Amino acid sequence: MAPAAAHSHGGETAIVSTPVAMPAIGTWSGAQPGSVEPHPQAAEILRQVDYYFSDGNLHQDSHLLALTGGDGTQPVSLSHILSFSKMRSFKGKAQVREALKQSEVVKVIDNKRIQRRHPLNVRITVVPVLNDNRLKKVVPEDQPWMTKNMLKATGFEPNATVGPITPKEHADGLEKYSPDNSFISRIEAAVQDFNNKRTMHQDTRSIFSKFMLVGGVEGGANMFQGGMTREELKKEGRSKEEIDQMIAYFAVSERVKDAYYAHEDGNQKVATWVVDFEGLAKAFLSDPFMYCYNWYEEATVKTATQVLRNFYNYLLHHDVCPEYESHLHAARAVCDVAESELAKLAVVDQCLPGAFNAACSTLYNGSFAGVKRTASSAAPDDDDAGWINEGENIGLSQDEATVIFKAGIAAYGTDEQYLKVKDALNDGWPGLTVVSQDKLGLEIVSIVLPEGKGKEMYDEAKLSYGYVDPVGKLICKRWDVPYAPPMDVPTRLTNTAATEERFEILVEAEVLAHCYSGIKMEAVVKELDVGIKWIDAIDAVFPSYYTYLPNERARKWTEPGEQKAWMERAEERKKSDGGGGEVVVPGEGGEDGVAQDEHEDDKGDFSDEEPD
């Protein structure tokens, strides 16, 4: 094109284009704006796509029929077609689309989809069903942080299968997992191989690493090679086995090794670590996992159980430790139990102690007393007002608690309890007193759902008060909390009768529907002077398979060293003083810096003898 001519008007410059002759159609050699170069494999693309949608193929292609509406007439995404195995080599979506515009079998719609030009002329011979393996993996809209690599198979999928072992893998396995090798050696090799053969993302890596740590296996990138690469280690003359061990990500803790071998040698002075796959599965899925991860989410629970299950399958498939085969099957069964129980336990944890127990707590100065809040009742200067939304109802009012409490006593209380509560109401509320308060462990023994007269009474109360729900009973027994610190427990709580005591706790039926025998909890239980017991607060709940293992504490345990000189002198001074009487305080007190025990003459007040 010729340059534009510039014309001056009153000192200003205007740009005016000079007419230029355009080349005739057919002689233009350059690409038009927005045009697409023809695909070099256009003929192959047409041939393949035409075959997919042809009368000879589509009627028997179950997956493609499902994509096209079941009868072959609906549009399908071009991206899905390009994800088919025989189409992946054709790069350039725009060029492929342009090539398909020349097809006589399909047509391009809105530049994103393709559709058969005419209905099928033959009878459909298969049931249209989508094949997950042929579907294009698309990054979920609610998880934009995911990449396409994160959508690839990891080996942790529920339907993942273990492929056949190659002859080389079999030979390597015979050597690494030989029964002649120690269990420590075999499990280290298996953990490392499992780690190398699985694609672990952030969630699976975190769970597996934590699981290994609880089991005494420590992890860290390139733990033992001192920053050297595999090639550098080869140049040093290291064997393949030595290199594999040096660059291992996981390894059994040295402290655990020492304790394990000491136990095998009969040395009981060292903390004992034993092999217990089932016990470790129970402990991890009931303690560290519930503490470190959001076990309320079903997806998180399934990820954890699948990681453990996958690991156990690997050990069984490769015959790593045949002497523990039954243990591995038992550990795998724990994963199934955990998936079932934790889903129910999440509901129980959010619903207990229930409205009846909250009513008792509200009326008798428990943890629910004064909790009542609503968006309308919270004052502008109330610190709680900011987190209460319109329509929310937090806690119980005195009137609501009174109605719920009276309904429970009327339905399940004895005649004597009913009369005492009635008299207390007449004398002025609350009128009853709390006679005991214990923080203890409880285990659910059985569940009694509402029935008979009790249920009928609640049905009547429901008509008058919409917030009164029928209650049943949780029958619980005492549970010794294994990690609880030692306490000075009253004698009444340590005798046989106390340990066999049963607690009948009134709980709403809608909560009981999610409860099951074996649930354990730390709770504060209070009792009124009429014999009514209730749960005032719950600190934690645990599944029936709860197992406490002091593994993490034991792993960090350090044997006490030899006494220092000052320790020995202090011990000798204590022995010579007889544990009391005179206390040496340099530079203070009486003659020679000796201070007399001011209570020496009053020792009767500090007698160890119990009063009659």
Side-chain angles (χ1 to χ4, degrees):
M1 297 177 65
H7 301 274
S8 176
H9 296 279
E12 297 180 0
T13 302
I15 303 297
V16 179
S17 297
T18 302
V20 178
M22 297 296 291
I25 296 176
T27 62
W28 183 252
S29 59
Q32 294 286 352
S35 64
V36 179
E37 291 284 348
H39 199 291
Q41 297 172 287
E44 297 177 43
I45 293 171
L46 279 174
R47 184 165 55 251
Q48 186 62 50
V49 174
D50 284 352
Y51 170 74
Y52 283 146
F53 287 84
S54 67
D55 287 344
N57 177 71
L58 186 56
H59 74 286
Q60 61 184 4
D61 190 329
S62 175
H63 178 70
L64 190 52
L65 274 173
L67 287 175
T68 55
D71 59 359
T73 61
Q74 299 302 311
V76 61
S77 167
L78 179 58
S79 296
H80 276 303
I81 301 300
L82 289 175
S83 70
F84 290 177
S85 59
K86 293 186 178 179
M87 295 293 294
R88 291 172 188 165
S89 61
F90 303 130
K91 305 301 180 183
K93 184 176 180 179
Q95 291 177 289
V96 172
R97 181 174 57 240
E98 289 301 312
L100 292 177
K101 289 180 179 180
Q102 308 303 317
S103 171
E104 296 181 359
V105 178
V106 299
K107 58 183 177 181
V108 178
I109 300 176
D110 61 29
N111 285 334
K112 294 180 180 179
R113 298 175 297 168
I114 60 175
Q115 180 183 18
R116 264 184 67 102
R117 292 183 180 272
H118 308 288
L120 275 171
N121 295 320
V122 294
R123 183 173 62 86
I124 295 175
T125 58
V126 294
V127 177
V129 178
L130 289 176
N131 184 341
D132 290 339
N133 294 327
R134 294 178 63 185
L135 281 176
K136 177 180 174 62
K137 301 296 187 295
V138 180
V139 175
E141 293 183 1
D142 60 339
Q143 297 174 313
W145 45 266
M146 294 189 71
T147 65
K148 290 185 177 180
N149 282 335
M150 296 177 69
L151 297 174
K152 294 180 180 179
T154 63
F156 290 109
E157 293 77 16
N159 58 348
T161 57
V162 181
I165 299 176
T166 65
K168 184 178 184 305
E169 288 177 329
H170 177 69
D172 290 343
L174 289 177
E175 182 179 351
K176 288 186 294 187
Y177 307 139
S178 169
D180 295 335
N181 298 336
S182 69
F183 173 80
I184 294 289
S185 172
R186 284 178 282 152
I187 200 65
E188 276 188 332
V191 169
Q192 187 60 28
D193 288 347
F194 178 80
N195 178 63
N196 292 337
K197 294 179 180 179
R198 294 293 184 274
T199 301
M200 296 196 191
H201 299 315
Q202 183 177 0
D203 53 350
T204 49
R205 167 67 64 192
S206 173
I207 290 171
F208 184 68
S209 296
K210 184 65 176 177
F211 175 57
M212 288 291 102
L213 188 62
V214 174
V217 180
E218 296 179 339
N222 303 325
M223 293 181 65
F224 308 111
Q225 89 271 29
M228 299 177 66
T229 65
R230 180 181 287 271
E231 294 302 322
E232 290 172 336
L233 292 172
K234 282 183 180 179
K235 292 179 181 179
E236 279 197 350
R238 303 280 186 175
S239 66
K240 181 181 181 302
E241 291 74 17
E242 290 176 325
I243 294 174
D244 288 342
Q245 185 175 9
M246 293 178 72
I247 67 172
Y249 188 91
F250 289 101
V252 175
S253 164
E254 290 298 323
R255 188 181 302 277
V256 174
K257 288 182 181 179
D258 293 342
Y260 175 82
Y261 290 128
H263 175 67
E264 282 194 337
D265 295 339
N267 179 7
Q268 298 300 327
K269 294 182 179 180
V270 185
T272 301
W273 286 71
V274 297
V275 180
D276 185 358
F277 287 103
E278 182 183 8
L280 183 60
K282 289 180 177 179
F284 178 76
L285 291 173
S286 63
D287 193 358
F289 170 71
M290 294 178 66
Y291 180 79
C292 298
Y293 301 92
N294 185 6
W295 59 277
Y296 277 17
E297 291 187 357
E298 183 181 2
T300 304
V301 174
K302 286 189 175 181
T303 297
T305 54
Q306 188 58 22
V307 167
L308 269 63
R309 190 184 290 114
N310 201 287
F311 177 63
Y312 298 139
N313 288 339
Y314 185 90
L315 298 182
L316 289 167
H317 184 70
H318 292 271
D319 207 23
V320 175
C321 43
E323 68 272 34
Y324 294 107
E325 182 177 350
S326 61
H327 294 219
L328 290 170
H329 285 290
R332 197 168 56 180
V334 171
C335 298
D336 300 333
V337 174
E339 281 189 14
S340 173
E341 286 199 15
L342 291 182
K344 299 177 183 178
L345 193 65
V347 179
V348 172
D349 190 33
Q350 296 174 78
C351 294
L352 282 179
F356 177 82
N357 293 277
C360 296
S361 180
T362 300
L363 296 172
Y364 297 102
N365 200 31
S367 59
F368 284 85
V371 172
K372 177 66 176 181
R373 293 289 190 280
T374 65
S376 57
S377 67
D381 59 347
D382 192 336
D383 292 338
D384 295 332
W387 56 269
I388 301 177
N389 299 318
E390 191 66 35
E392 288 184 338
N393 191 11
I394 311 299
L396 296 172
S397 67
Q398 289 287 323
D399 290 341
E400 291 169 339
T402 300
V403 171
I404 294 172
F405 177 72
K406 289 167 60 178
I409 300 301
Y412 288 99
T414 63
D415 292 341
E416 182 181 0
Q417 289 172 334
Y418 176 77
L419 292 175
K420 286 184 177 180
V421 170
K422 182 179 179 181
D423 292 341
L425 292 174
N426 293 334
D427 294 340
W429 193 259
L432 304 174
T433 58
V434 177
V435 295
S436 69
Q437 173 178 325
D438 296 316
K439 184 174 182 179
L440 69 165
L442 293 176
E443 179 179 343
I444 297 177
V445 176
S446 61
I447 299 158
V448 180
L449 296 174
E451 58 183 2
K453 293 183 178 180
K455 187 176 184 304
E456 293 176 2
M457 294 184 66
Y458 268 101
D459 290 340
E460 295 177 5
K462 187 75 173 177
L463 296 175
S464 303
Y465 306 95
Y467 53 83
V468 179
D469 295 315
V471 302
K473 292 182 181 180
L474 272 185
I475 312 299
C476 303
K477 66 178 181 180
R478 287 183 181 273
W479 169 59
D480 291 330
V481 183
Y483 55 82
M487 299 176 63
D488 292 330
V489 181
T491 305
R492 63 183 175 83
L493 300 180
T494 58
N495 57 41
T496 304
T499 57
E500 295 179 355
E501 179 185 4
R502 291 294 184 267
F503 297 80
E504 292 188 0
I505 309 296
L506 297 185
V507 177
E508 282 64 35
E510 60 182 5
V511 182
L512 294 177
H514 299 278
C515 294
Y516 54 89
S517 298
I519 288 180
K520 300 168 178 62
M521 64 187 86
E522 279 188 275
V524 175
V525 177
K526 294 185 178 182
E527 182 178 3
L528 291 173
D529 53 5
V530 292
I532 299 295
K533 294 181 180 180
W534 83 89
I535 296 177
D536 186 67
I538 293 179
D539 292 340
V541 296
F542 303 98
S544 66
Y545 58 85
Y546 175 80
T547 303
Y548 174 73
L549 291 179
N551 284 15
E552 294 193 73
R553 292 184 181 182
R555 183 173 51 81
K556 300 174 183 178
W557 168 259
T558 301
E559 287 292 329
E562 295 182 359
Q563 281 193 342
K564 305 294 184 181
W566 67 267
M567 295 180 182
E568 294 177 354
R569 291 196 299 270
E571 188 68 22
E572 289 298 324
R573 187 184 303 118
K574 183 178 179 181
K575 290 179 180 179
S576 63
D577 290 343
E582 296 180 345
V583 182
V584 178
V585 184
E588 296 182 14
E591 187 178 358
D592 296 329
V594 176
Q596 191 72 19
D597 187 344
E598 62 180 352
H599 299 296
E600 187 174 17
D601 296 332
D602 299 322
K603 290 181 180 178
D605 295 338
F606 299 90
S607 172
D608 291 333
E609 296 179 2
E610 295 183 0
D612 295 333

